[in-house]
Amino acid sequence: MYKYYGLALFAVILDQWTKWLIVKNMELGERISVWDPWFGILSHRNRGAAWGMLEGQMWLFTIVTVAVIIAILYFYHTEAKGKPLFQISLMLLLGGALGNFIDRLFRGEVVDFVDVYIPIINYDFPIFNIADAALTIAVVMLFITIILDEKAGKKKVKK
């Protein structure tokens, strides 16, 4: 059961290491094109939540993040036992939440750097980081887990 904590730790370390590389090696606003114009590394800071919402509300982010972390740990130890996909989802969620929480605590802002442009719909996707990616992947995995659990529950009822 505790082996999955390593996944959360890996997400936090990868997130913090990539952010450190950005802060140490790039000027704020500097962009390195990787696959122009679709993908680049852009040094950006975010004092809010996703898409810059609630900018400067650090007290709110602290309360919400601590509550989310407590909820993740509760569900991990009570509901996710014997469900590897659920456990992995929750640990990715924990790693992502901790990664951005560390930034807010020690920098007062979150370091974002992945810059994606979607030409088909002419959309400049909001700049994100490894923690954001872990959170997004975790939420998708949680939805899949819920759907699979519901299907398994319906099969049991039919038998």
Side-chain angles (χ1 to χ4, degrees):
M1 178 127 200
Y2 290 100
K3 65 183 177 189
Y4 292 106
Y5 278 104
L7 182 60
L9 181 63
F10 175 74
V12 169
I13 289 171
L14 182 62
D15 177 64
Q16 290 300 304
W17 179 66
T18 53
K19 289 173 177 173
W20 178 82
L21 287 173
I22 297 300
V23 169
K24 287 293 179 189
N25 297 302
M26 294 180 71
E27 296 292 324
L28 187 60
E30 181 182 353
R31 185 178 194 279
I32 299 170
S33 182
V34 176
W35 189 17
D36 204 32
W38 302 290
F39 181 73
I41 307 297
L42 173 63
S43 179
H44 180 75
R45 305 298 181 269
N46 184 356
R47 293 182 183 267
W51 291 277
M53 292 184 299
L54 301 170
E55 191 168 316
Q57 303 295 319
M58 289 301 182
W59 61 272
L60 179 63
F61 295 127
T62 301
I63 292 169
V64 169
T65 304
V66 169
V68 166
I69 289 169
I70 290 169
I72 291 168
L73 294 175
Y74 171 79
F75 282 109
Y76 182 75
H77 288 283
T78 58
E79 303 295 325
K81 287 181 180 173
K83 301 175 181 173
L85 188 61
F86 196 15
Q87 291 172 313
I88 291 169
S89 304
L90 290 174
M91 289 299 104
L92 277 177
L93 204 58
L94 180 64
L98 285 172
N100 282 338
F101 189 57
I102 289 169
D103 273 19
R104 288 190 178 100
L105 280 180
F106 295 105
R107 291 190 172 104
E109 59 192 8
V110 174
V111 176
D112 290 327
F113 58 92
V114 181
D115 186 22
V116 176
Y117 175 70
I118 306 169
I120 295 171
I121 56 174
N122 196 25
Y123 184 66
D124 199 7
F125 196 81
I127 302 160
F128 61 97
N129 56 45
I130 300 296
D132 297 332
L135 289 167
T136 303
I137 292 167
V139 169
V140 170
M141 289 176 67
L142 283 172
F143 279 122
I144 292 169
T145 301
I146 290 168
I147 291 168
L148 292 176
D149 277 357
E150 282 187 16
K151 283 186 175 183
K154 286 179 182 176
K155 279 186 178 178
K156 283 183 181 176
V157 171
K158 286 182 180 179
K159 289 183 180 181

